[in-house]
Amino acid sequence: MHSFSSRLIRWQRQHGRHDLPWQGQDAYRVWLSEIMLQQTQVATVIPYYLRFIASFPTITALAAASEDEVLAHWSGLGYYARGRNLHKAARIVVEKFSGEFPRQLEDIVELPGIGRSTAAAICALAFHERRAILDGNVKRVLARYCAVAGWTGEKRVESALWQHAERLLPENDVATYIQGLMDMGATLCVRGKPKCPVCPVRDDCAALATGCVQTLPTPRPRKSVPGRNTVMLMLSHGNEILLEKRAPHGVWGGLWSFPQFDDAAKARAWCGQHGIEILSERRLEPFIHVFTHFKLHITPLWLTLRRKPVWAAQSDSMWHPADAPVRAAIPAPIRVLLANAGCALAGDEAAKQIG
């Protein structure tokens, strides 16, 4: 029987993915794709990747852009720390490596937002170095093939998987092998219904032999997901709605959002303290936005103002036309609320004309 790696390489050449826009590209494009693909599926990433590359074709162009421009291109992709770290890393590459992406693993892993597996993937795919990777898909493949029990986020289990990843590396065709590992995890050795009958390494897969494919890898220990409540103030005047830029850290750091408060009483008190004259108030339907570690229960409170507050003209605030396309860096739920507000304002205006 051929080795695990030779079978995987042969399978990748015949059945793997060969049309991804970052395949066969330089280190910058490989790096960008690897960052975007963290916690995000390929189908979602491709349009973001293409728009990003069109606007920032080089590391130098990315480094020269403002954080607002970068996050605007990231808007909707989630996990915004990835975009901020990408921008920081680009500036480091320009300053320290004259705009050329570093080739040494030790230099790559020092860049913001790049861990051991991502750095190894860049080295393998862009520079064809013999490096093992261990992303989420690969963890699942190896946990099953080698029958490694335990949650893959546990240090002991992850260490065992790294040992298997290093042991199974081929001497040649590493880039094809690494792509094959990722392809198999994404298309065959999937979570819910793995396609074992067509798997190229099924003959000696330990999980298949012992009947534990469905139980490996061991699921993450269940924890109750805490909830948080927030009231979002949608302050409108005419057809414009006020947005404010959040602090550069934490959830939605550096993005444009609505003023947020723990409850409606605090929101109204804040309006009073800032001299906001309210013409009308409308409480919109509450909804939930799910993050990795908590659920955010959002209650939108739409206030129509008599006049624009003077302080709202400062640099960390802006009035956005509700009926215009959103080009700023805005979280997905805020984008939805703005779209709904635009429709509502258009309806109100139509009603006035009819009346």
Side-chain angles (χ1 to χ4, degrees):
M1 182 186 297
H2 293 294
S3 69
F4 173 87
S5 60
S6 63
R7 283 175 285 164
L8 199 56
I9 289 169
R10 186 170 63 249
W11 174 84
Q12 202 286 326
R13 286 174 175 159
Q14 295 176 352
H15 306 290
R17 298 175 294 186
H18 300 97
D19 58 350
L20 300 178
W22 47 82
Q23 285 180 303
Q25 298 295 321
D26 61 18
Y28 169 51
R29 285 164 171 77
V30 172
W31 166 45
L32 174 61
S33 69
E34 287 296 314
I35 299 300
M36 285 188 165
L37 287 166
Q38 292 171 358
Q39 308 290 330
T40 312
Q41 295 183 346
V42 167
T44 301
V45 163
I46 287 176
Y48 281 92
Y49 171 87
L50 294 175
R51 287 194 295 268
F52 204 94
I53 284 296
S55 295
F56 313 114
T58 64
I59 294 178
T60 303
L62 176 57
S66 69
E67 184 179 273
D68 269 356
E69 290 174 307
V70 174
L71 292 180
H73 283 72
W74 206 274
S75 183
L77 196 56
Y79 300 95
Y80 291 94
R82 296 181 299 171
R84 294 194 296 271
N85 283 331
L86 191 81
H87 189 222
K88 292 175 186 175
R91 292 188 165 179
I92 292 172
V93 170
V94 167
E95 294 170 6
K96 191 173 179 181
F97 302 99
S98 302
E100 291 291 328
F101 197 86
R103 294 185 66 101
Q104 301 300 316
L105 181 74
E106 296 76 15
D107 292 328
I108 297 173
V109 82
E110 288 297 317
L111 295 173
I114 299 183
R116 176 182 174 183
S117 183
T118 299
I122 296 168
C123 288
L125 297 173
F127 304 135
H128 298 272
E129 292 185 6
R130 189 174 180 270
R131 301 285 184 181
I133 71 166
L134 199 63
D135 66 8
N137 281 333
V138 176
K139 285 180 178 180
R140 185 167 57 256
V141 171
L142 297 183
R144 285 173 173 164
Y145 182 75
C146 303
V148 178
W151 175 48
T152 58
E154 185 182 342
K155 189 172 182 180
R156 172 188 61 82
V157 177
E158 188 175 46
S159 178
L161 290 173
W162 270 116
Q163 291 177 27
H164 287 300
E166 298 282 357
R167 175 178 61 83
L168 294 169
L169 267 180
E171 292 296 329
N172 302 300
D173 294 324
V174 175
T176 305
Y177 168 76
I178 293 298
Q179 187 64 54
L181 263 181
M182 296 189 293
D183 289 353
M184 193 169 81
T187 63
L188 296 186
C189 197
V190 294
R191 268 195 198 91
K193 296 180 180 179
K195 302 173 183 177
C196 297
V198 293
C199 174
V201 296
R202 69 184 305 276
D203 290 344
D204 53 349
C205 173
L208 187 61
T210 56
C212 57
V213 171
Q214 294 294 343
T215 58
L216 290 177
T218 306
R220 181 183 186 132
R222 282 187 175 274
K223 289 184 179 179
S224 59
V225 180
R228 302 180 191 174
N229 297 310
T230 187
V231 169
M232 289 188 174
L233 273 188
M234 300 173 65
L235 305 177
S236 70
H237 182 269
N239 74 327
E240 295 181 316
I241 293 183
L242 183 70
L243 295 172
E244 66 173 13
K245 191 173 185 180
R246 294 175 63 86
H249 48 78
V251 174
W252 295 337
L255 305 187
W256 293 87
S257 182
F258 299 121
Q260 291 181 227
F261 303 90
D262 293 337
D263 54 48
K266 291 182 179 178
R268 293 189 186 93
W270 178 84
C271 289
Q273 292 166 4
H274 287 77
I276 295 175
E277 299 180 57
I278 302 170
L279 280 177
S280 64
E281 176 180 316
R282 192 185 313 179
R283 189 186 184 94
L284 304 185
E285 189 69 25
F287 64 98
I288 298 174
H289 184 73
V290 180
F291 292 94
T292 305
H293 302 298
F294 69 96
K295 294 180 180 179
L296 186 63
H297 298 259
I298 300 172
T299 299
L301 193 60
W302 189 348
L303 305 181
T304 303
L305 308 187
R306 187 179 301 278
R307 61 177 61 87
K308 291 181 180 179
V310 176
W311 55 263
Q314 56 194 5
S315 61
D316 59 352
S317 300
M318 70 171 173
W319 289 94
H320 189 280
D323 56 353
V326 180
R327 294 189 173 87
I330 296 177
I334 308 304
R335 190 177 294 271
V336 171
L337 285 172
L338 275 174
N340 292 340
C343 293
L345 287 170
D348 290 346
E349 186 61 31
K352 286 180 184 178
Q353 293 176 4
I354 292 172

